[in-house]
Amino acid sequence: MLYKLFVLAGIVPISAYATEAPLPFSFSTHYEVYIVEGDSISDIEASFDVDKPKFLRDRNADGYTGWEYDYWTDDNTCEIKVFNLDITYKLPRIKQSVASPEITELYREYIEQLYRHEETHCALTVMSVNQIYQAFKKGQKGNCTEQNQTVDKLAGRVKEDNELFDTYTNHGEIELAVSPFGEEPFYPVCKIPFSGMMAGN
């Protein structure tokens, strides 16, 4: 079985990290960052509108998490020949205003919540893709055909769970006290390794 799914077009990563993670398959994370700046709320809001990539403007979003996974397995034995997952984040970073640092500080909570939201999208994706991998491993012990059918069902869950998460949270406006998905064990591999706030010049 040869399969490839790609969600998120037009990405040129500015950096990539091969994550040291307790995952049994190849996993990497890429980041594309745009800078937001201004000395007033109106300046910052205008910067969000002007400086974000067209990809985000078209979706009326400030951040986005995309994923690409592909695998190649033996249909009869479920032997895994290739299995990869790549996550791409598109994120803002707010440059601290030298003239009015208290203004940019007003956005700290929003940026931190946005980053957590995108990390959850990543964790949901890693969780589902890991389930696909484990189904193939189970199929290697017998009933490979049955596990291939399970994989077909799990593949749909990747997109479905991410869409449900956006519905439950209104695309990040609401933070869930308890997640119904069970993605928590995968947060460490999805942690964004930099702050959404950056020092000004």
Side-chain angles (χ1 to χ4, degrees), residues 85-184:
L85 170 62
D86 298 304
I87 294 289
T88 299
Y89 287 115
K90 292 180 73 71
L91 300 163
R93 295 190 77 189
I94 296 186
K95 183 180 291 187
Q96 193 82 29
S97 168
V98 175
S100 305
E102 71 283 355
I103 296 297
T104 43
E105 193 64 27
L106 294 174
Y107 286 83
R108 180 178 296 276
E109 183 177 349
Y110 169 71
I111 289 292
E112 290 176 350
Q113 183 169 329
L114 175 65
Y115 276 37
R116 288 193 299 269
H117 181 79
E118 300 307 331
E119 288 169 347
T120 302
H121 275 301
C122 170
L124 287 168
T125 302
V126 175
M127 176 185 70
S128 294
V129 172
N130 183 64
Q131 289 170 349
I132 291 172
Y133 182 90
Q134 297 303 332
F136 284 131
K137 295 297 287 185
K138 185 176 181 180
Q140 292 173 15
K141 299 176 182 179
N143 297 319
C144 180
T145 299
E146 179 182 333
Q147 292 306 312
N148 280 328
Q149 294 171 351
T150 298
V151 166
D152 290 340
K153 296 176 182 177
L154 288 171
R157 285 274 307 278
V158 180
K159 184 178 180 182
E160 290 169 8
D161 282 356
N162 275 283
E163 289 177 346
L164 270 177
F165 174 63
D166 272 334
T167 298
Y168 292 162
T169 63
N170 196 22
H171 294 273
E173 290 185 14
I174 303 166
E175 288 197 286
L176 302 177
V178 178
S179 172
F181 300 102
E183 79 287 353
E184 291 88 351

Side-chain angles (χ1 to χ4, degrees), residues 44-99:
I44 292 172
E45 293 297 328
S47 181
F48 264 112
D49 292 338
V50 171
D51 295 319
K52 73 174 62 172
K54 183 177 184 296
F55 179 88
L56 293 177
R57 289 200 302 273
D58 290 346
R59 288 157 179 77
N60 193 30
D62 291 335
Y64 193 83
T65 303
W67 61 87
E68 178 184 7
Y69 66 93
D70 63 276
Y71 53 78
W72 176 27
T73 63
D74 186 301
D75 288 342
N76 297 313
T77 66
C78 283
E79 177 189 358
I80 300 169
K81 302 177 185 298
V82 174
F83 201 105
N84 303 303
L85 170 62
D86 298 304
I87 294 289
T88 299
Y89 287 115
K90 292 180 73 71
L91 300 163
R93 295 190 77 189
I94 296 186
K95 183 180 291 187
Q96 193 82 29
S97 168
V98 175

